[in-house]
């Protein structure tokens, strides 16, 4: 697939109202590890809303931003704490990369974060490597509101 225009990037899991407000025909969707909620939850919801999802690996955000393919980064938070928003792990990278490439960052209320970490050693309960390997799976992180262009 080839992308030859700027489209929004979605990182995290929106609440239901976001899909109705999105005014685009296509959107990049980060896979959102470890549970790949971008693929399992966000992409099907976008299709239902009439938006074609283009799924990318989480680590491809900077690639797409750096090539001028992203019009805006939409990041979703669970709650705000002082001058930061608590978001899914990886949201800070999305915000920093967007900021570095002068792409606006929009912060939205999202679906509640899952409270358990899935193993990076399995995908859909299928082991992909040895159980002897240790993993570190933080679920949430703080994104400074100073990195955000607009909050909805």
């Amino acid at each position: 697939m080839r992308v030859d225009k700027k489209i929004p990037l979605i990182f995290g899991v929106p609440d239901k109202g976001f899909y109705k407000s999105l005014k685009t025909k296509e959107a990049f969707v980060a896979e959102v590890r470890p549970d790949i909620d971008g693929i399992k939850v966000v992409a099907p919801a976008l299709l239902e809303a009439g938006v074609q999802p283009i799924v990318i690996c989480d680590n491809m955000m900077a690639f797409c931003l750096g090539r001028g393919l992203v019009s805006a980064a939409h990041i979703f938070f669970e709650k705000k704490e002082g001058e930061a928003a608590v978001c899914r792990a990886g949201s800070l990278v999305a915000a920093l990369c967007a900021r570095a490439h002068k792409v606006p960052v929009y912060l939205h209320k999202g679906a509640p974060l899952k409270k358990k970490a899935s193993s990076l050693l399995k995908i859909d309960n299928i082991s992909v490597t040895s159980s002897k390997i240790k993993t570190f799976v933080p679920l949430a992180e703080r994104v400074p509101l100073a990195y955000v262009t607009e909050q909805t």
Side-chain angles (χ1 to χ4, degrees):
M1 142 146 254
R2 182 181 170 139
V3 177
D4 57 3
K5 62 183 175 219
K6 289 186 176 194
I7 59 176
L9 166 69
I10 298 172
F11 189 91
V13 179
D15 66 11
K16 300 283 185 201
F18 174 80
Y19 299 105
K20 295 175 187 168
S21 70
L22 195 58
K23 307 288 186 231
T24 187
K25 292 183 181 187
E26 296 177 312
F28 286 118
V29 178
E31 66 183 342
V32 188
R33 296 287 281 150
D35 291 328
I36 58 173
D37 285 336
I39 296 170
K40 292 179 178 178
V41 178
V42 179
L46 284 170
L47 282 173
E48 190 174 305
V51 177
Q52 177 62 56
I54 300 172
V55 176
I56 60 172
C57 299
D58 291 352
N59 61 358
M60 293 303 297
M61 291 184 296
F63 176 89
C64 293
L65 285 155
R67 288 188 173 52
L69 300 174
V70 179
S71 60
H74 296 275
I75 299 172
F76 302 87
F77 71 95
E78 181 174 16
K79 62 184 176 180
K80 292 181 185 170
E81 292 180 344
E83 294 299 312
V86 177
C87 305
R88 289 174 176 268
S91 297
L92 181 56
V93 169
L96 287 169
C97 287
R99 190 170 188 209
H101 293 289
K102 298 179 177 31
V103 171
V105 176
Y106 297 102
L107 186 65
H108 310 271
K109 182 72 173 160
L113 298 174
K114 293 182 180 178
K115 299 302 180 193
K116 66 176 185 71
S118 294
S119 172
L120 290 176
L121 305 178
K122 293 182 179 184
I123 297 175
D124 284 335
N125 289 325
I126 298 170
S127 293
V128 293
T129 191
S130 169
S131 61
K132 295 178 183 178
I133 297 172
K134 294 182 180 182
T135 60
F136 178 58
V137 188
L139 297 177
E141 65 187 348
R142 295 167 51 89
V143 174
L145 296 179
Y147 296 171
V148 175
T149 306
E150 185 177 314
Q151 302 172 48
T152 60

